[in-house]
Amino acid sequence: LDAAGNVYTTNYLDSTVTRITPSGASSVFGTTGSRPLGITLDPAGNVYTANEGANTVTKITAGGVSTVLGTTGRQPIDIALDAAGNVYTTNYLDSTVTRITPSGTSSVFGTTGSRPLGITLDSAGNVYTANEGANTVTKITPAGESSVFGTTGGWPQAIAIDGSGNVYTANWNSRNVSKITPAGASTILGRTSRRPIGIALDPSGNVYTTN
């Protein structure tokens, strides 16, 4: 979502981004690299996609102009931005996170557990990944130091963080949501339906998953 309430989606087979206005009008907002998955926006309304089939990140300006911002590790899945405009992707086959600067310089930011999928950041710039192959969450500091932040249920897919620093994952195989406190204590917050793959939080702290 952008500040005006427009909705943006990555379209895996078309290699495009769709924009849907609050009134429901749909249009192709821009093109991407092959097989886009993760998507995020910056405060200026620029859209960024992680392109699984191209190992790249596409930037689409608010005016709909598409460029390749930078390269990633193998099979980038999810994407996030920090306050300085740096872009981060989880690289499923490499078990790494790539950082791409606003000028397009790409580097390996840190290592993760096996097969990272979801990614999120806290207000201090720490990066967290949900590692499907390890049933863990990795924390990477702004200096690039990686550690196991906590354990999860089976096959964590998506990840979210609240204002207190608690981390939540949607666990595909175990049909539940894990909650990890800032101290690294892991619990099962609640059950879901089958194969939860997306997760979100509201301002009251309620957790939502797509199943």
Side-chain angles (χ1 to χ4, degrees):
L1 285 163
D2 66 18
N6 298 296
V7 176
Y8 300 80
T9 66
T10 49
N11 307 312
Y12 187 79
L13 293 183
D14 290 338
S15 298
T16 60
V17 167
T18 294
R19 179 172 64 183
I20 309 174
T21 68
S23 64
S26 299
S27 61
V28 175
F29 182 65
T31 58
T32 69
S34 174
R35 301 200 302 268
L37 285 173
I39 188 170
T40 193
L41 284 85
D42 67 21
N46 300 300
V47 175
Y48 304 81
T49 66
N51 308 313
E52 180 197 38
N55 298 334
T56 60
V57 166
T58 295
K59 177 181 179 180
I60 309 174
T61 67
V65 177
S66 300
T67 58
V68 176
L69 179 66
T71 58
T72 68
R74 293 181 301 161
Q75 205 169 339
I77 303 294
D78 202 8
I79 191 168
L81 278 165
D82 68 17
N86 297 296
V87 176
Y88 302 82
T89 65
T90 49
N91 306 312
Y92 188 79
L93 293 182
D94 291 338
S95 298
T96 61
V97 168
T98 294
R99 178 171 64 182
I100 307 175
T101 67
S103 64
T105 301
S106 300
S107 61
V108 175
F109 181 65
T111 58
T112 69
S114 175
R115 302 200 300 271
L117 289 172
I119 190 170
T120 193
L121 284 86
D122 65 20
S123 58
N126 297 296
V127 174
Y128 302 82
T129 66
N131 308 313
E132 181 189 54
N135 296 335
T136 60
V137 167
T138 294
K139 177 181 179 179
I140 310 174
T141 69
E145 299 170 349
S146 300
S147 61
V148 176
F149 182 66
T151 58
T152 69
W155 298 8
Q157 306 287 303
I159 192 168
I161 191 167
D162 66 21
S164 299
N166 299 296
V167 171
Y168 304 82
T169 63
N171 307 314
W172 167 291
N173 200 43
S174 55
R175 302 182 185 181
N176 53 31
V177 168
S178 291
K179 177 181 179 180
I180 308 173
T181 68
S186 301
T187 58
I188 298 301
L189 180 68
R191 299 285 298 174
T192 68
S193 191
R194 293 184 299 163
R195 299 182 180 176
I197 199 166
I199 195 167
L201 298 164
D202 70 17
S204 299
N206 299 298
V207 177
Y208 302 81
T209 64
T210 53
N211 308 306

